[in-house]
Amino acid sequence: MLVAMSKEGELIYASEVKFKYPNLMEFYCPTCAQKVFYKDSHKGKGFFSHYSKCQLVESRRSPLESDEHKRGKELIIEELQGIQKLVLQTELYFPEINQFADVYVTVKSASSESVIYEFQRSVIPAADVIVRNQNYKQLVNQVHWLMDDYTTRSTVLNQRWKQTMLNYNDDWGFHLKYLNLKKKEIIIQRHLPIIYQKNNYRLKQNRMTIREFHQQDSLQDENCELISVRKRTKASLNYNRQLNGIMNNEAYRNTIYLLYQQGTVLTDIPEWVFTEQWEVLLTQSPSWLVFSWSLAIIRQLNYKFTTDAFIEKFRACSEIKVARTPLIYSDIYPVLCLAILILLFQKGILEKVSNVEWILK
């Protein structure tokens, strides 16, 4: 395996041990938490190895695996079998990273085109996804993480598990992928809104066979559904009830005090922050907290500021908990901060001086 963890929980790459951690002697498996040791291969390449068999080997072969999970793997194999030159394997073990892949797909005589499919029905920690995905990416050029459509797609958009499974590319924007066992199809929800009202938002959705998904290069708009989510809840919530609920919540007492120290009290925050049911896709913090601290940051910047200055302050704000998105390798802070600034501009709180400068009205 090429990645281990220190006693303090820091990810340690085998390639960095000699020059970055020469005195570190204790390493642990990120998957089973057993102690491992570092050694060099006969080619001089460093890696970690278990003293005894990793518990992952037993757990992945255990009878506790659900019938639905088994069916998901079988379905991917069945649907891709008709494609010429593909070599398909399920539960393939990679000893160098000590992991089993749900489905491994490669092309004969072209291992560089290999793909791994992970059908993830159960929720696992973001830290585990980070390790598994980084390990896979060292061996294959693409990894597809599929959630169970039946149990997951109808849940709230900014659910913690969906944030863990969230992915991004320039063509699809922020997107999620699901496997529907009954209809034998893959569903992609794409261009997910970064900031939205949970009782009224839209997104694009594409359905395709597993074979079509494996062979596709892009998603065509003419084949997509425009999904409108309109929940039967009040258009706006009661301001006083929402404000009192937050102020009397013990969990928020410290952040309210810290806001006060920055010269911001909740009664100074615009009412729409509390009543319009906003949600933020890329944070674990509630939207009122995100917007309140954003306004406090803007005031710290003396009312006139650049986008980059706001991003820097926002990144340093420990009270805002940004979502863990282990499948996204790019920095999510710029797009998150820009979305916040645009909303504040649309609400008439900010004035845009240029493409990179703003003024608090």
Side-chain angles (χ1 to χ4, degrees):
M1 54 191 276
L2 304 177
V3 182
M5 295 185 79
S6 69
K7 193 174 182 180
E8 291 73 29
E10 180 185 2
L11 286 179
I12 307 293
Y13 293 89
S15 59
E16 298 178 345
V17 169
K18 288 185 177 179
F19 67 89
K20 198 171 180 180
Y21 308 97
N23 300 318
L24 190 60
M25 302 302 294
E26 290 189 31
F27 305 98
Y28 297 87
C29 174
T31 304
C32 69
Q34 292 184 93
K35 204 168 185 178
V36 297
F37 62 93
Y38 172 85
K39 63 180 181 180
D40 290 317
S41 69
H42 67 281
K43 293 183 179 180
K45 186 177 181 180
F47 65 99
F48 299 101
S49 183
H50 283 72
Y51 289 97
S52 57
K53 185 178 289 187
C54 177
Q55 293 176 9
L56 172 66
V57 174
E58 300 304 321
S59 65
R60 288 298 294 263
R61 291 176 175 169
S62 117
L64 296 177
E65 182 183 24
S66 69
D67 291 339
E68 291 81 5
H69 187 255
K70 292 177 182 177
R71 178 57 187 147
K73 295 184 294 185
E74 292 168 356
L75 185 59
I76 294 170
I77 294 289
E78 290 170 8
E79 293 294 305
L80 297 183
Q81 275 180 341
I83 302 177
Q84 290 186 350
K85 296 185 179 181
L86 285 192
V87 179
L88 309 167
Q89 294 172 275
T90 184
E91 287 298 314
L92 179 65
Y93 180 61
F94 293 95
E96 59 267 60
I97 60 173
N98 202 33
Q99 289 178 199
F100 287 91
D102 280 349
V103 177
Y104 175 73
V105 185
T106 191
V107 179
K108 289 179 181 177
S109 305
S111 60
S112 61
E113 298 179 25
S114 53
V115 177
I116 284 175
Y117 285 88
E118 282 289 314
F119 179 40
Q120 198 62 48
R121 296 194 74 248
S122 56
V123 175
I124 59 175
D128 289 358
V129 176
I130 292 173
V131 172
R132 286 168 61 178
N133 196 63
Q134 288 179 342
N135 282 344
Y136 283 147
K137 293 290 278 186
Q138 295 179 71
L139 302 174
V140 301
N141 65 319
Q142 200 163 23
V143 184
H144 294 301
W145 291 81
L146 306 175
M147 291 183 289
D148 181 23
D149 178 58
Y150 179 75
T151 59
T152 313
R153 185 160 56 99
S154 61
T155 59
V156 295
L157 198 58
N158 65 338
Q159 180 194 50
R160 192 71 57 86
W161 176 233
K162 285 186 176 179
Q163 291 176 336
T164 300
M165 290 287 99
L166 192 65
N167 217 319
Y168 178 86
N169 64 43
D170 292 338
D171 293 328
W172 301 356
F174 291 101
H175 62 274
L176 296 165
K177 291 174 280 195
Y178 308 86
L179 176 62
N180 186 305
L181 297 177
K182 187 176 181 180
K183 295 184 178 181
K184 301 181 181 180
E185 65 182 8
I186 286 176
I187 300 168
I188 303 172
Q189 290 183 335
R190 59 190 177 103
H191 297 295
L192 303 180
I194 300 168
I195 299 176
Y196 58 96
Q197 290 176 277
K198 67 179 181 181
N199 60 328
N200 186 11
Y201 63 91
R202 290 183 175 186
L203 53 86
K204 291 182 178 180
Q205 180 170 285
N206 287 76
R207 296 172 178 268
M208 62 192 75
T209 66
I210 297 169
R211 180 176 182 142
E212 288 171 341
F213 174 79
H214 188 79
Q215 295 179 316
Q216 57 80 34
D217 294 320
S218 61
L219 298 178
Q220 303 300 318
D221 276 346
E222 58 265 27
N223 297 327
C224 83
E225 308 168 62
L226 186 61
I227 305 299
S228 295
V229 178
R230 290 187 175 88
K231 298 184 179 179
R232 293 181 179 178
T233 56
K234 293 180 180 179
S236 60
L237 303 174
N238 182 277
Y239 170 70
N240 290 325
R241 188 177 299 166
Q242 293 300 307
L243 192 62
N244 289 334
I246 292 169
M247 295 181 73
N248 292 323
N249 191 325
E250 188 72 27
Y252 298 136
R253 186 160 296 179
N254 185 61
T255 197
I256 292 172
Y257 174 70
L258 292 174
L259 279 168
Y260 176 76
Q261 285 188 317
Q262 296 293 330
T264 299
V265 294
L266 295 191
T267 51
D268 292 339
I269 304 298
E271 287 192 13
W272 61 264
V273 168
F274 305 98
T275 63
E276 291 187 359
Q277 304 187 62
W278 291 97
E279 298 285 351
V280 184
L281 180 68
L282 300 177
T283 69
Q284 296 173 2
S285 301
S287 61
W288 71 264
L289 189 151
V290 175
F291 297 149
S292 297
W293 275 104
S294 296
L295 290 170
I297 289 169
I298 290 169
R299 287 166 184 156
Q300 290 173 21
L301 294 169
N302 295 322
Y303 297 87
K304 185 176 181 180
F305 60 95
T306 64
T307 303
D308 286 345
F310 178 78
I311 294 171
E312 184 180 354
K313 285 279 189 180
F314 189 95
R315 195 190 298 273
C317 181
S318 60
E319 291 301 305
I320 301 173
K321 306 302 179 187
V322 174
R324 298 192 71 184
T325 53
L327 302 183
I328 300 176
Y329 288 92
S330 56
D331 185 5
I332 65 173
Y333 275 92
V335 68
L336 170 58
C337 290
L338 186 57
I340 293 170
L341 295 176
I342 290 173
L343 178 63
L344 295 178
F345 168 73
Q346 292 171 341
K347 288 293 185 179
I349 293 173
L350 294 181
E351 183 178 329
K352 198 171 184 181
V353 180
S354 67
N355 288 336
V356 296
E357 285 188 304
W358 311 78
I359 292 177
L360 179 65
K361 288 185 177 180

